Amino acid sequence: MSGALGKDLLSLEHLSADQIRLVLDTAEPFKEISERAIKKVPVLRGKTIVNLFFEASTRTRISFEFAEKRLSADTVNVAASGSSVVKGETLVDTARNLEAMRIDMVVMRHGSSGAAKFLADRIESNVINAGDGKHEHPTQGLLDLLTIRDHRPIAGTKVCIVGDVLHSRVARSNIWGLLKLGAEVAVCGPQSLLPLGIEALGVRVFRRVEEAIAWADVLNVLRLQLERMQAGYIPSLREYYRHFGVTVERLEKAPRDLLILHPGPMNRGVEIDSRVADGPHSVILNQVTNGVAVRMAALYLLAGGKPELAEAAKGGSDR
Amino acid sequence: MPTDERQLLLDERAFARTLHRMALDILRQNPDPELLVLIGIQRRGVEIAARLASHLAQETGAQVPRGALDITLYRDDFEVVGPRPLVGPTHLPVKLDGREAWIVDDVLFSGRTVRAALDELADFGRPGRIGLAVLVDRGGRELPIQADVVGERVPTAAGDRVEVFVRELDGRDAVEVVRAGRSAP
């Protein structure tokens, strides 16, 4: 069991279907801990975890911090803006200095794709990727899988990711995870925001959101980053909403009720209609709740375990 | 070649008789069934607790609430063994404060599982008293922990196994002891 995920959690592309299922199955009992009056179990007592966030984040950072605290780990938050990074320190030097203080794990968000792997190759601590550039955001992918699985079996489910797939690490982690667990995956958005050649992964492409809605069981609606308009990817936010907004009117024409996911933060009235976001088929807040459980599972599975000591412990336990 | 030797400790009838006696023993120590709550340790402790509850219902007419505890996250060997799969859900049906809570497990050996269960229960409340009921006490304690109600005592060596089978999971009720074979000196 020890090392079932390896040293680090960097991407879903490099996990097997069994490893993904292990994290989801482990997350199930962790959900209950957050419902207790005392929301804390002692399993990571004495572990020190650094949350190293080079990009702004509210939800992900808080979610990781809750997960760490509910497992009794000691945590330190480092935000790039208030740290030696602004004085020109390199990523590796920052991490090596942290390691010199005897930490066990680093949770990192960074603006560069591949930053998490770069770090993981250079330090002994476990590394969890909390989003690296446009590459992956594995725990977001896992919590989306868990939220879909709460409502229906993933294998055979049709999931369409709507919006700015090109710049989205959430989309990439979702695509890998969903495909590995046997879902059918599609993307939908303006041509300028879809990666070229994405069909080669086995992903269907819809140019019109109406067609995507007619096909899908689940929509994962991505946040449209407002900077994309200034960069010329879309003409205007109103135009985007008119063509790709997930609205009640469009969903009413669907042959079945669609489950609606959104990784947050939402731009109401840009990619999603408020009445949809707050509607009966929205599981957006369930995603947030599941995020803590999935991160607890990932931390638990990565931490601890010294195989060389396992022999000595045999025979001593009650079972 | 050393061979393992399997002995039947409790057959189906002895299993039922033992559980009935354990239920009576619990009632003798806690005469008010309204205060009782049985907490089974995942996995087979949960089934044993269910059987005890039905014996208690026959004796008193009271439905004793039952809970389940997965102590995996409270074990003391995480640093050594690393993450283990979680066994089953933890749920406690009632507030524990002031109750007569009984931890129920199939086999008592080192006592480390019970130590973990005591820690976990303390995070859920403050029972008036906590008792320990086990189907089999096989000796070999590594902590100062003893059971208040014991179905059967059997001395064992460290390499032996005590296997508890319950109808719900295994299709039959039985307890068997597997004696580890010893090589000729």
Side-chain angles (χ1 to χ4, degrees), chain B residues 24-149:
Chain B
L24 293 179
D25 212 355
I26 289 173
L27 277 181
R28 196 171 48 73
Q29 297 186 36
N30 294 118
D32 184 359
E34 298 298 319
L35 287 179
L36 281 175
V37 53
L38 300 181
I39 299 159
I41 296 182
Q42 294 279 7
R43 270 290 347 217
R44 282 169 178 70
V46 177
E47 309 301 339
I48 305 288
R51 303 294 184 83
L52 287 175
S54 67
H55 283 291
L56 289 170
Q58 278 172 20
E59 291 296 324
T60 67
Q63 291 298 326
V64 174
R66 283 182 288 124
L69 218 51
D70 181 336
I71 55 91
T72 310
L73 300 173
Y74 286 77
R75 298 185 70 100
D76 60 6
D77 55 3
F78 182 75
E79 274 307 310
V80 179
V81 183
R84 298 166 183 257
L86 274 69
V87 193
T90 289
H91 67 89
L92 294 169
V94 288
K95 283 227 179 300
L96 296 180
D97 302 272
R99 288 253 180 184
E100 306 280 343
W102 281 79
I103 296 172
V104 179
D105 206 359
D106 52 355
V107 180
L108 178 59
F109 184 20
S110 69
R112 290 178 191 270
T113 298
V114 175
R115 198 279 312 155
L118 288 168
D119 279 358
E120 183 158 17
L121 277 189
D123 284 351
F124 281 94
R126 187 178 183 276
R129 172 173 180 254
I130 301 179
L132 173 61
V134 298
L135 182 61
V136 181
D137 179 350
R138 60 170 290 186
R141 222 72 81 237
E142 296 169 3
L143 296 173
I145 281 172
Q146 303 301 337
D148 303 285
V149 167

Side-chain angles (χ1 to χ4, degrees), chain A residues 21-33 145-147 149-150 290 293-294 297, chain B residues 86 88-89:
Chain A
R21 274 191 285 266
L22 173 68
V23 182
L24 302 183
D25 293 345
T26 305
E28 290 294 342
F30 278 118
K31 290 178 184 173
E32 177 265 331
I33 292 167
L145 291 171
L146 186 64
T147 307
R149 204 178 72 164
D150 284 345
N290 280 343
V294 149
Chain B
L86 274 69

Side-chain angles (χ1 to χ4, degrees), chain A residues 90-280:
Chain A
T90 67
L91 172 56
V92 166
D93 281 334
T94 302
R96 284 191 183 143
N97 275 279
L98 291 168
E99 260 201 328
M101 297 182 219
R102 301 290 174 261
I103 59 163
D104 299 291
M105 214 183 273
V106 178
V107 174
M108 185 175 74
R109 166 164 295 186
H110 197 284
S112 299
S113 306
K117 170 99 170 71
F118 178 85
L119 185 70
D121 288 345
R122 283 161 182 80
I123 65 174
E124 282 180 27
S125 310
N126 310 100
V127 175
I128 296 185
N129 180 8
D132 61 333
K134 298 166 203 159
H135 174 229
E136 280 220 38
H137 189 353
T139 57
Q140 178 73 43
L142 289 164
L143 74 89
D144 290 345
L145 291 171
L146 186 64
T147 307
I148 295 170
R149 204 178 72 164
D150 284 345
H151 291 86
R152 48 188 307 140
I154 290 174
T157 286
K158 295 174 174 165
V159 182
C160 185
I161 302 165
V162 185
D164 181 4
V165 178
L166 182 64
H167 299 94
S168 174
R169 52 197 175 208
V170 175
R172 247 163 285 271
S173 287
N174 261 273
I175 290 169
W176 287 117
L178 287 163
L179 289 174
K180 282 173 196 243
L181 296 194
E184 290 185 54
V185 183
V187 296
C188 174
Q191 199 158 0
S192 58
L193 292 176
L194 297 180
L196 276 175
I198 194 168
E199 295 91 338
L201 293 176
V203 173
R204 195 186 279 255
V205 175
F206 290 108
R207 301 270 175 239
R208 288 166 40 82
V209 74
E210 292 82 359
E211 291 169 14
I213 287 170
W215 173 84
D217 304 307
V218 178
L219 289 188
N220 198 342
V221 187
L222 299 177
R223 165 184 169 75
L224 187 79
Q225 293 184 317
L226 305 179
E227 309 88 88
R228 303 295 172 232
M229 188 177 65
Q230 281 111 43
Y233 286 99
I234 52 165
S236 77
L237 296 180
R238 284 184 65 179
E239 175 131 344
Y240 182 85
Y241 186 67
R242 197 156 57 238
H243 286 288
F244 293 99
V246 176
T247 61
V248 169
E249 291 73 20
R250 286 185 167 131
L251 288 176
E252 275 169 353
K253 297 200 184 88
R256 60 190 85 83
D257 290 331
L258 273 71
L259 206 61
I260 306 293
L261 286 79
H262 190 300
M266 281 187 280
N267 294 311
R268 291 170 181 264
V270 178
E271 70 267 3
I272 190 164
D273 183 344
S274 262
R275 291 169 299 160
V276 173
D278 305 327

